[in-house]
Each structure stands twice: as C-alpha cells, then as structure tokens.
Amino acid sequence: MDDPPPPERSNSSLSAHSVRSASSSVSQQGGTIREKRNWLIHLLYCRQDFFDCLILIEEQLAECRGLCEYAIYIKAMIKRANGELAESLQLFQSATILNPHNVANLKQVGRSLYLLGKHRAAIGIYEEAKAYAEEDWEISHNMGLCYLYLKNYDKAEDCFVKANVIQRHDATYVQLGKLYTLQDKYHESIDVYLEALDYSPENPELLTTVGLLYLRLSENFKAFDYLGNSLTHDPKNPKTILAAGSIIQDHSDMDVALTKYRIAAVQTPNSAQLWNNIGMCFFGKHFHIAAISCLKRALYLAPFEWIIAYNLGLVYLNTGQYASAFHYFSASINLKPDFASSYMYLAITLNRLDDFENACSAYEKAISMERDHLFELNYCITLYNNEETDLAKQHFQEFQACFAELDDETRQSDQDILDVRSKLMEVFK
C-alpha cells in the first residue's frame, strides 16, 4: 500500500489547529509504517502461501526495526505449522513483550508450551491470561488439556465444565468424555457425549465414540444404532466401519463384514486392527491360508498387539500346526499375561504336543485366573484322555456347576459343548 500523501500547504499562515494536526500525524507515522502491510501478511497466511508471507514479514520487520507485533505473531504461527516449536515460542514471547495485555499472544505462548510438553508452565501462562479474559472458553479448555496430561483429573474436569458453561464446543465435550473414559466412568462419558449430540446431532465423531462406548459395555444393539447413524453422515470413516464390521462379524455375517472392511481398506491400508479383523473373517469362513496371510500382515504392522498373536495361535491350532500355535500363544501371553483364555488354548496345544505335565500347569493357571465352564470342560477332557479319570471327574463336576450358572440362551448356544457334555455324563455315571 502506498504511503499516505503529505499534507497540502496553502499560502496563508497555518492555524493553531493545523499545527496540532500535523504534529499528531507525525506521532502516528511510526504506527502506520508498522501496520501498513498487515492486510497482505494476513491474506498470504490465510492462503497458506508461507514462503512469500515470510519474505514480506522480514521486509516489514526490517522497516520497523522488529517492532511489528502482528508480523511477529504470524511468523510464529508459520514456524509452529512447520514444526519449529521452540522458535515459535520465542516469537510469541517477543510479541507478548511488545503488547503484554494482548490475550491472543498469551494464549499462543501457553499453547506452544503445551505442545512442547511443558504443561505446568502452560498452566501458569493461562492463569495470567485469565486475569485479562476471565470468560474465554479457550483458556479454560486448554488448561483442562494440561491438567489431563498431568493426570490431575479433578482439576481437568472443573476446567472442561467451566469451558462448556462459557461456550459449548464439541472439542470440549470430546475431551471431557475422554477424561471419564480414562477413569473407567463409561456411563458418565456416554452422558457427556449424548449432551454434545443435542447440540451437534450430525457430528460423526461423536456418534462413533458413543457407539464404541456402548460396544465396550456389550450393548451391541445401541452401539450398532449409533455407528450406523455415523456412517450415514460419513460413510468412509475407517474407525466407524471397523467398529460396525466387528459387530456384524460377531453375528457371523462374514460376507457383509468383509464388504465393510473393503471400504475401510481403501482409506487405511496399513491398519493392523483392520487386517486382524479381515483375517478372522476368513477364519470364520474356514479360509485358513487367507486368514494366516492377513494376520501375518497385521502382525507386521503391529508386532506388539497381543490379540493378533492370539488369533494366529487359534488359526494354527485349528489347522493342526501345533508348534506354530505354541509359538504364537506364548507370544500373546508374554504381551498380555492376564488374559486367561490364552492359557487354556496353550494347554490344549501342549497336550497335542504330548506335553501333558505343562498342559496341566497351563490349565491350572487359567482356572486360577477366571472361573469359566470351558476351562473346566477342556481340562476334564485332557485328563480323561490321559487316564486321569478321578481328577477328570472332579473337573467335570466343576464344569457342571459353572454350566448351571449360565442362562438358557448361553447354554443352548454351542451344540458341540452340549454333545460333549452328554457323552461325559454317560462316562461318569
């Protein structure tokens, strides 16, 4: 922009008012120089034309000897966008020195400290900013994030609630729900997300999160309802597709689940969870080679996911490759030693490898961790096949007690268990 033209002179003598106006314009000249390119800097920044924007900023700072607050602020924003967090923090601090009462500068200093992991220092800056803007939801929200990372859940909750009182935002509801989920308060978390949906009923992220929480609480029908609603608004969301597909898969509709997973694979081809689910779909269809191939890919993408190793163990056990099954069940137990079913399947594998003593130890470990009718039944069968009839009878009685505690639907759900139970009742008469 061109500089403002100099004041015109007349032949007559200047009045006192004209003299005062001239001196005032001189005093404002420095401010005009500092701000004259702000509009262009803003335009280039909004276009994300960072290279040209930085060139213009440097020219502006050179002209005003580094005293242009807006140019420094935008330069800091660009540095942050490029991942130069330390340099960005220094620039925001420089802008704050030029204008200590500007809340925007203080908030950006706090944000930079938060991104650098200096959460306590960030809280201090936000407290200072609150002195100038008490009713700013962003300050309370960001303070809540800092307390959340410091695991001070009570203060984090207070900050998020206060932020929502000032002004409701989906981001605050999401973080408050996350806070309750971290504390295993799933019902409180669902209530928060449902309140958020009252104000943003078409937000796919909120709908998916509610669906996942209901899925965690084993309320599959409610979960599928919310996940289906989410897919209506965002049909290619891979997280939603994965969750909906897993519910469909649990109901043994493998072909429909695979159709869903095919859509998700286009969006996230390197998702270990996706390939794990695809592998188990093929396992459910008895395509064992395809299942192993998919599970191996999942394990390559996430080698420390215990569930993938566990599933590979199941597939190898079903194909009679007991040495490979033993390898993957052992790996699964090392990664997650508190999952009782891994010990049961390890025991079955060890028995097939003619290691009866260690198989019994694995069964005992599983039974000590969890009371389950399948553990007792399989242990009974293993003992009976190895001519330990008396001990097998004891565990069959334990199985009967566990089985009697189940509801009718669960008891009738697996015909194989009913057939084996009938045969063992004949044996142990």
Side-chain angles (χ1 to χ4, degrees), residues 270-277 279 291-313 316 324 327-329 331-332 335:
N270 294 322
S271 169
Q273 292 79 12
L274 176 63
W275 287 107
N276 174 70
N277 286 14
I292 290 170
S293 177
C294 292
L295 289 169
K296 285 285 186 74
R297 180 166 182 174
L299 195 65
Y300 170 77
L301 293 168
F304 298 109
E305 281 284 349
W306 70 271
I307 189 68
I308 301 173
Y310 174 80
N311 287 337
L312 268 168
Y316 279 121
S324 295
H327 169 75
Y328 285 108
F329 282 132
S332 176
L335 293 168

Side-chain angles (χ1 to χ4, degrees), residues 177 180-193 213-214 216-217:
Y180 287 133
T181 304
L182 289 171
Q183 300 176 83
D184 295 332
K185 298 178 180 178
Y186 300 122
H187 292 288
E188 290 90 335
S189 182
I190 288 172
D191 291 340
V192 167
Y193 290 126
L213 286 169
Y214 276 126
R216 183 172 288 186
L217 294 172

Side-chain angles (χ1 to χ4, degrees), residues 37-54 56-57 70 73-75 77-78 81:
R37 292 198 182 100
N38 284 0
W39 69 274
L40 186 54
I41 291 172
H42 178 76
L43 183 64
L44 291 172
Y45 177 74
C46 290
R47 289 178 177 174
Q48 297 189 4
D49 191 352
F50 294 157
F51 182 77
D52 291 338
C53 189
L54 284 173
L56 186 63
I57 286 171
Y70 187 72
Y73 182 91
I74 295 298
K75 184 178 179 181
M77 295 292 286
I78 293 172

Side-chain angles (χ1 to χ4, degrees), residues 31-329:
T32 304
I33 292 172
R34 286 197 296 271
E35 297 171 2
K36 68 178 182 178
R37 292 198 182 100
N38 284 0
W39 69 274
L40 186 54
I41 291 172
H42 178 76
L43 183 64
L44 291 172
Y45 177 74
C46 290
R47 289 178 177 174
Q48 297 189 4
D49 191 352
F50 294 157
F51 182 77
D52 291 338
C53 189
L54 284 173
I55 292 174
L56 186 63
I57 286 171
E58 294 302 333
E59 291 176 1
Q60 179 80 343
L61 291 174
E63 285 185 19
C64 65
R65 299 179 183 178
L67 299 178
C68 181
E69 178 191 356
Y70 187 72
I72 294 172
Y73 182 91
I74 295 298
K75 184 178 179 181
M77 295 292 286
I78 293 172
K79 290 287 185 182
R80 181 194 291 171
N82 291 332
E84 301 173 48
L85 296 178
E87 294 86 345
S88 173
L89 173 60
Q90 291 175 0
L91 289 165
F92 282 127
Q93 288 171 333
S94 299
T96 304
I97 292 170
L98 289 174
N99 190 353
H101 303 303
N102 189 333
V103 176
N105 290 336
L106 289 170
K107 287 195 292 186
Q108 294 301 338
V109 171
R111 180 67 179 170
S112 294
L113 289 168
Y114 166 78
L115 293 172
L116 287 167
K118 300 177 180 179
H119 300 115
R120 295 187 191 281
I123 290 170
I125 295 296
Y126 286 128
E127 290 286 0
E128 184 181 344
K130 281 175 68 177
Y132 303 109
E134 179 69 27
E135 297 299 312
D136 190 319
W137 79 272
E138 191 178 356
I139 294 174
S140 296
H141 174 85
N142 289 337
M143 285 181 70
L145 289 176
C146 292
Y147 282 122
L148 181 62
Y149 277 92
L150 291 171
K151 299 186 189 258
N152 191 336
Y153 296 140
D154 292 334
K155 287 191 175 181
E157 182 180 354
D158 292 340
C159 290
F160 290 136
V161 170
K162 183 177 179 181
N164 267 338
V165 169
I166 296 169
Q167 190 175 357
R168 292 184 179 91
H169 282 81
D170 290 349
T172 306
Y173 280 114
V174 168
Q175 293 300 330
L176 184 57
K178 179 183 175 182
L179 171 66
Y180 287 133
T181 304
L182 289 171
Q183 300 176 83
D184 295 332
K185 298 178 180 178
Y186 300 122
H187 292 288
E188 290 90 335
S189 182
I190 288 172
D191 291 340
V192 167
Y193 290 126
L194 291 177
E195 183 183 345
L197 284 170
D198 289 338
Y199 300 97
S200 301
E202 296 182 357
N203 186 322
E205 183 183 358
L206 292 173
L207 290 165
T208 298
T209 306
V210 173
L212 291 173
L213 286 169
Y214 276 126
L215 189 60
R216 183 172 288 186
L217 294 172
S218 300
E219 297 186 36
N220 288 359
F221 290 109
K222 285 186 177 181
F224 194 74
D225 184 30
Y226 281 97
L227 292 169
N229 197 355
S230 176
L231 286 172
T232 302
H233 302 293
D234 187 4
K236 293 184 179 180
N237 188 324
K239 184 168 73 171
T240 313
I241 292 171
L242 191 62
S246 68
I247 297 174
I248 296 169
Q249 189 172 343
D250 287 342
H251 287 81
S252 302
D253 199 344
M254 303 303 176
D255 292 323
V256 175
L258 283 170
T259 302
K260 294 287 186 185
Y261 293 147
R262 188 177 293 114
I263 300 169
V266 175
Q267 307 296 320
T268 54
N270 294 322
S271 169
Q273 292 79 12
L274 176 63
W275 287 107
N276 174 70
N277 286 14
I278 293 172
M280 294 313 289
C281 275
F282 284 127
F283 177 58
K285 290 168 67 69
H286 304 289
F287 297 160
H288 295 134
I289 295 175
I292 290 170
S293 177
C294 292
L295 289 169
K296 285 285 186 74
R297 180 166 182 174
L299 195 65
Y300 170 77
L301 293 168
F304 298 109
E305 281 284 349
W306 70 271
I307 189 68
I308 301 173
Y310 174 80
N311 287 337
L312 268 168
L314 288 177
V315 178
Y316 279 121
L317 180 60
N318 276 268
T319 56
Q321 300 178 63
Y322 303 124
S324 295
F326 170 78
H327 169 75
Y328 285 108
F329 282 132

